[in-house]
Every structure is written in structure tokens, then in C-alpha cells.
Amino acid sequence: KSPHGIFVIDKNGIIESFNPKMAEMMGIKKQKEVIGLNALEFPIYKKVGLYQFLTEGLNGKQFNVEIRYGSYAGQKETYHHYFGAPIFSQDNKSVERLLLMAEDITERKKMEFQLVEYAKKLEVKVLERTAALENRTQELNSVISSMQEGLLVVDQNRKISLINSVAEKLLE
């Protein structure tokens, strides 16, 4: 059993073959139900924009596209990745058929959306923590500058890394 939906339409859009996985993806009980129908006349293909790609494919242009399907009630949405490859006549002058392969990418899209949301939340946390750190730094600088005693901090390289105004006056 193929993990991908596969179907072939002729140059007029008539479905010539439709594998079981494609039938499952489209919610069709038996693939024989669609053999002989015109894919260019399916309202759902027009609604989701696949019709445009089918016609481009029948005009000789290969395509690779992700399509979102939403249910009428809006409670369920699925995503399909389609790859369309025109099949040319032996003289290579005209398109005879269009081969389409489809994959249900709904789970991958859900994870992508979750990742984007996580990144947004993480960015907000970073901004919040950066602001808190800046506030704390200002508070510490205020304490250091208002001290009555001299404060001189030397780093590992014996360089002065911090000095308050009282210590500066003592060193003058």
C-alpha cells in the first residue's frame, strides 16, 4: 500500500487512475467512484486553489504545492502536499496526462504551527528577562554610586572593572 496518494488525469481533466491512499485522503470510499470524473470540475479543487495548479500542469508546468483543506464547520483542517508532473506525448509537443502525487502533511503542519508559537513565547520570555536584568543592573549601579565608601573591583587580569565616584576621588 502506497503511503502517497497518486492519481492520473488525461489532457481534459478526466481521472484515469486513483489509488486507494488518494481515495482515503479525499474521503472517498472506493477509488472507482471517481474514475471517469473530471477533476477540473470538483468544487473543492476550485475552492482550495488546486484547480489552478491542475490547469498549469496540463499546460506543461510541473508544480509542487501545499494546500489547506478546511471542513465546512471549520472544526477540522487538513493539509496536503501535491506534486504534479505533466506527461508529454511521444513527440514531446503536447501534454497527454498529468501525474499527481499527494501526501497528507497535516501532522507536520501542526508541529510547524506549534514551533512558531513556542518561538513567539520564548521570544517574549527573553525580552521579559532581559528587561528584568536591565532593571536589576540599574538598581545595583544606583546602590554602588550612592555608597559613602569607595568601591574598586579588579578583574582576573588585574584591570579595574568597576569603580564608584568615592574611590575615584580617593585615587586622584
Side-chain angles (χ1 to χ4, degrees):
K1 187 176 177 182
S2 174
H4 295 90
I6 301 169
F7 67 107
V8 176
I9 60 176
D10 71 11
K11 61 185 173 185
N12 299 311
I14 304 300
I15 298 173
E16 293 182 339
S17 67
F18 206 83
N19 78 341
K21 183 63 176 183
M22 192 68 217
E24 177 189 318
M25 288 172 61
M26 297 305 293
I28 298 167
K29 290 184 171 76
K30 295 181 182 178
Q31 70 253 36
K32 292 178 183 177
E33 293 176 25
V34 294
I35 304 288
L37 297 179
N38 191 329
L40 300 175
E41 294 176 359
F42 288 179
I44 188 68
Y45 286 175
K46 289 180 181 179
K47 181 180 177 184
V48 299
L50 186 57
Y51 171 86
Q52 169 193 341
F53 292 99
L54 295 178
T55 56
E56 287 178 10
L58 290 172
N59 286 319
K61 185 177 178 188
Q62 180 175 302
F63 64 88
N64 193 357
V65 65
E66 294 179 357
I67 302 283
R68 177 190 168 274
Y69 290 88
S71 68
Y72 293 111
Q75 295 176 349
K76 182 182 178 189
E77 63 181 19
T78 59
Y79 292 84
H80 295 171
H81 173 246
Y82 287 92
F83 174 77
I87 301 171
F88 290 89
S89 60
Q90 286 190 348
D91 63 6
N92 222 20
K93 292 185 178 181
S94 62
V95 175
E96 292 293 317
R97 291 175 178 74
L98 181 62
L99 169 68
L100 292 114
M101 293 186 292
E103 177 183 15
D104 186 338
I105 58 168
T106 304
E107 289 305 312
R108 186 188 88 203
K109 294 302 277 185
K110 284 180 184 177
M111 286 190 281
E112 286 175 8
F113 293 137
Q114 288 173 348
L115 185 59
V116 167
E117 287 303 310
Y118 178 75
K120 286 178 185 176
K121 289 178 183 176
L122 188 58
E123 189 173 338
V124 167
K125 283 186 178 186
V126 167
L127 291 173
E128 288 172 351
R129 290 187 178 156
T130 300
L133 184 59
E134 287 173 356
N135 287 339
R136 187 70 178 152
T137 300
Q138 287 177 354
E139 289 172 7
L140 289 172
N141 285 337
S142 293
V143 168
I144 290 169
S145 65
S146 65
M147 290 176 59
Q148 299 298 318
E149 295 83 18
L151 177 67
L152 179 80
V153 178
V154 179
D155 67 15
Q156 294 171 338
N157 298 322
R158 297 182 186 171
K159 294 192 178 199
I160 297 173
S161 62
L162 180 68
I163 187 168
N164 70 355
S165 58
V166 175
E168 282 179 353
K169 288 180 186 175
L170 289 173
L171 293 175
E172 289 178 353

